[in-house]
Amino acid sequence: MTYKMLDGNSAAVEAMKLAKVQVISAYPITPQSSISEKLSDLVESGELKAEYIRVESEHTALSVATTAQLTGARSATATASNGLALMHEILSMTSGNRVPIVMPVVNRGIAAPWTLWCEHGDSIAQRDTGWMQFYSQNVQEVLDLTLTTYKIAEHGDVLTPAMVCIDGFFLSHSLQKVKVPTQEEVDKFLGKYVLKNTYLDPSDPMFICNLTPPEDFTEMRYQQKVGMDNAIKVIEEVQKEFLSKFGRKLHIIEGYKTDDADVVLLAMGSMTGTAKYVVNKMRSQGKKVGIAKLTVFRPFPFEHIKNLLGDKKVIGVFDRSAGLGGQGGPVWSEVSVALKEFDIDIRSYIGGLGGRDVPADTIEKIFDELLSIQNREKDTHTQWIDLKKNAMEIREVIKHV
Amino acid sequence: MQRQQEKPTEKPKKFRVFGPVATRFTSSDTGSWRLERPKVRFEDCIKCGTCAMFCPVNIIEILKDQKECVIIDFNYCKGCGICSNVCPKKCIDMVPERGHE
């Protein structure tokens, strides 16, 4: 183990290098670009023995990675935002054909309005494509989650691809001191990629993704559902093994000072780090608040959420995506259903969109609102928590007519 | 394609997989789609191989030392008529399927 100063993208690359990916096809897109660039540097210098295939789009990038993996090579790609949207069709191809690719997704809002900056709207929009989704809190988690995710995705009971979600810029471009395991340690943990399912081999041909009639389609989908269901147990096992081998604890959902908390805020991604700081600050003022950090969004860990939050009275759920047309944010919807058997007041918060920072102040404001709801001083809450007051009037154009 | 069908029968072993896949190519018999079939007038054929070169499914074989020198695999010929169109001697006729020959 060595310490390195890495940003989130470099940590993802470090993990892919340690997993010894053999085929890479990535198309650069801000803020993912440095992943593509660093991987190509590694291939050029010979540090990583892999085939780097240049492609003309994200659609092709994932097509190449998926089919390459079917020949028995651990394959890599990465994307963000509109690139992920362009991959949409192939995402379902990868998961439906049970190809366990691990893909870093550097979260960035989807245009329009054009943005380069962080929100979870891009990956949340792909939640039903049959991919697992892991959200990272910090750069160390980017590395650790990526490494463990290979083992989880490739497990014979799972065989489901996975996205490791990295908050654009907040994580992808911020340097942190990261513990990097040695190649031997990772080799022992991960091992070589072994094909456990269908394969592409000219000497023993099979036709993968043939037309599936109504007689079989439901069963194919059900097999995917079972893979997702199995994943929860496998994630627990792999995270346990990771803890014993590398000494760092990963979670499906982490309760930070939730045991005796009056109110809890559930959130994902880098803002949970800030939220932990706010929890400590407010606890020192005697306010009993806690944060639930959701790492695994797909498969949705409803049992874990019930166990962690079932006894609470007031919960806030912070969505870093707008969930347009929904009653609340997408994570809020799922949490509400998971906790439907309990009498809990669950409030939806939406914020941090298109790169808007989620500072301690915003989180403190949420906790204060939740506390006053819990004390029955207040009943309403501010769903769009960081919205400007003049939201409907912030643009003017000069008309020349 | 012909070889693909024969190959898996060598040492068959079953194992369970997940996802849509087929190893028996029963539905690949595209010959059943055919409405017209190419018929070669061998006496006019100069064995140039143009038809074989253009065939989109690559199922035409030229046997230069035989009288019936153009062999077409009718398991896969869809009857598209490209061979008939490109033939420099115009010696491939498209004749209707189903007993009109």
Side-chain angles (χ1 to χ4, degrees):
Chain A
M1 197 272 293
T2 47
Y3 284 104
K4 283 189 186 175
M5 283 300 286
L6 296 175
D7 61 21
N9 283 352
S10 310
V13 170
E14 198 71 37
M16 287 193 245
K17 190 186 97 186
L18 288 166
K20 292 183 175 166
V21 293
Q22 293 152 283
V23 177
I24 301 156
S25 68
Y27 191 83
I29 179 171
T30 302
Q32 166 268 27
S33 302
S34 59
I35 294 184
S36 312
E37 290 160 11
K38 286 190 173 93
L39 283 170
S40 96
D41 284 346
L42 287 176
V43 173
E44 204 222 345
S45 70
E47 222 178 309
L48 178 62
K49 293 207 173 15
E51 193 77 35
Y52 197 102
I53 300 170
R54 283 183 298 166
V55 287
E56 87 296 347
S57 73
E58 286 85 357
H59 191 278
T60 310
L62 187 58
S63 302
V64 168
T66 301
T67 42
Q69 185 130 341
L70 279 168
T71 68
R74 195 176 268 151
S75 304
T77 185
T79 192
S81 178
N82 287 50
L84 184 63
L86 187 54
M87 278 184 182
H88 177 75
E89 182 186 5
I90 311 302
L91 290 175
S92 301
M93 282 285 188
T94 313
S95 59
N97 288 311
R98 312 302 297 274
V99 184
I101 285 184
V102 174
M103 174 168 76
V105 172
V106 187
N107 286 111
R108 157 185 159 187
I110 290 194
W114 269 115
T115 172
L116 302 173
W117 299 280
C118 175
E119 70 164 65
H120 295 157
D122 54 352
S123 53
I124 289 286
Q126 306 299 344
R127 66 187 184 273
D128 296 338
T129 52
W131 282 59
M132 296 187 281
Q133 292 192 348
F134 298 75
Y135 289 81
S136 337
Q137 183 203 321
N138 51 39
V139 177
Q140 181 71 59
E141 268 197 10
V142 173
L143 184 104
D144 296 349
L145 285 175
T146 312
L147 281 179
T148 51
T149 302
Y150 280 105
K151 190 144 185 166
I152 296 158
E154 292 167 8
H155 193 285
D157 295 340
V158 180
L159 292 172
T160 298
M163 299 177 194
V164 178
C165 301
I166 306 166
D167 281 2
F169 296 106
F170 293 119
L171 291 182
S172 70
H173 288 63
S174 72
L175 284 164
Q176 286 172 15
K177 183 179 163 187
V178 174
K179 288 178 186 169
V180 180
T182 62
Q183 187 65 61
E184 293 78 61
E185 286 171 328
V186 175
D187 284 349
K188 261 187 233 158
F189 176 69
L190 272 185
K192 269 189 144 172
Y193 180 60
V194 184
L195 275 168
K196 293 177 182 141
N197 200 32
T198 51
Y199 50 82
L200 291 175
D201 180 356
S203 65
D204 183 12
M206 55 175 81
F207 182 5
I208 295 171
C209 198
N210 57 333
L211 187 63
T212 303
E215 287 80 28
D216 295 344
F217 186 91
T218 308
E219 286 66 30
M220 297 285 118
R221 274 283 178 273
Y222 183 76
Q223 288 180 357
Q224 283 181 263
K225 175 214 148 40
V226 171
M228 274 283 186
D229 291 351
N230 292 344
I232 291 280
K233 194 168 153 266
V234 174
I235 295 169
E236 279 175 343
E237 284 167 12
V238 171
Q239 290 188 342
K240 213 165 149 191
E241 190 192 339
F242 187 81
L243 175 67
S244 70
K245 284 197 171 141
F246 298 92
R248 289 189 295 283
K249 195 163 169 52
L250 294 165
H251 301 86
I252 289 175
I253 180 166
E254 178 192 2
Y256 185 76
K257 306 202 174 168
T258 45
D259 286 350
D260 63 338
D262 292 330
V263 299
V264 174
L265 179 67
L266 185 143
M268 303 195 299
S270 60
M271 72 173 110
T272 53
T274 317
K276 285 176 182 174
Y277 163 81
V278 175
V279 166
N280 289 335
K281 189 180 151 201
M282 293 181 77
R283 287 244 166 195
S284 71
Q285 299 161 0
K287 295 173 180 168
K288 279 195 192 166
V289 295
I291 174 90
K293 178 183 88 180
L294 185 63
T295 301
V296 184
F297 179 65
R298 279 288 180 271
F300 195 74
F302 54 93
E303 288 291 350
H304 290 71
I305 288 180
K306 275 196 230 175
N307 291 337
L308 186 70
L309 302 173
D311 61 342
K312 301 295 166 226
K313 290 285 161 265
V314 178
I315 296 172
V317 179
F318 197 122
D319 274 273
R320 205 166 196 157
S321 59
L324 292 176
Q327 196 180 338
V331 183
W332 171 85
S333 304
E334 302 253 355
V335 171
S336 299
V337 177
L339 298 172
K340 65 178 183 291
E341 67 198 68
F342 305 101
D343 181 25
I344 306 175
D345 193 349
I346 309 169
R347 303 290 176 130
S348 160
Y349 286 97
I350 287 165
L353 305 182
R356 184 158 293 177
D357 196 10
V358 183
D361 284 354
T362 305
I363 293 166
E364 208 172 329
K365 211 164 115 189
I366 295 175
F367 275 132
D368 281 333
E369 269 196 15
L370 292 174
L371 283 167
S372 51
I373 290 166
Q374 197 245 348
N375 297 336
R376 298 178 191 286
E377 290 162 13
K378 203 175 158 186
D379 189 42
T380 56
H381 74 291
T382 322
Q383 187 183 31
W384 285 63
I385 189 71
D386 53 9
L387 188 76
K388 285 181 185 168
K389 283 204 174 62
N390 60 339
M392 302 309 281
E393 291 118 35
I394 65 166
R395 288 273 194 281
E396 280 176 353
V397 294
I398 299 159
K399 262 181 140 180
H400 294 287
V401 285
Chain B
M1 277 180 137
Q2 194 87 49
R3 263 179 241 117
Q4 281 184 348
Q5 279 193 314
E6 287 158 9
K7 189 80 185 181
T9 58
E10 277 176 16
K11 257 188 264 164
K13 202 177 107 193
K14 279 188 183 172
F15 76 105
R16 197 167 294 288
V17 293
F18 300 120
V21 65
T23 48
R24 277 176 301 149
F25 299 89
T26 47
S27 56
S28 62
D29 179 9
T30 47
S32 62
W33 305 359
R34 200 169 53 239
L35 298 175
E36 285 182 321
R37 66 162 61 212
K39 193 171 180 232
V40 185
R41 275 180 277 114
F42 298 111
E43 60 275 19
D44 296 334
C45 177
I46 55 168
K47 303 170 189 178
C48 64
T50 307
C51 52
M53 208 151 35
F54 278 83
C55 174
V57 279
N58 196 22
I59 43 115
I60 302 180
E61 219 177 326
I62 308 294
L63 303 173
K64 294 205 170 177
D65 53 347
Q66 287 187 24
K67 194 176 170 291
E68 299 209 342
C69 50
V70 181
I71 308 294
I72 299 168
D73 185 342
F74 284 106
N75 283 327
Y76 299 107
C77 171
K78 302 190 199 75
C80 67
I82 289 175
C83 54
S84 169
N85 268 320
V86 297
C87 177
K89 300 300 283 182
K90 297 288 168 221
C91 69
I92 304 177
D93 301 321
M94 295 305 288
V95 299
E97 264 309 330
R98 299 190 179 93
H100 290 284
E101 279 180 59

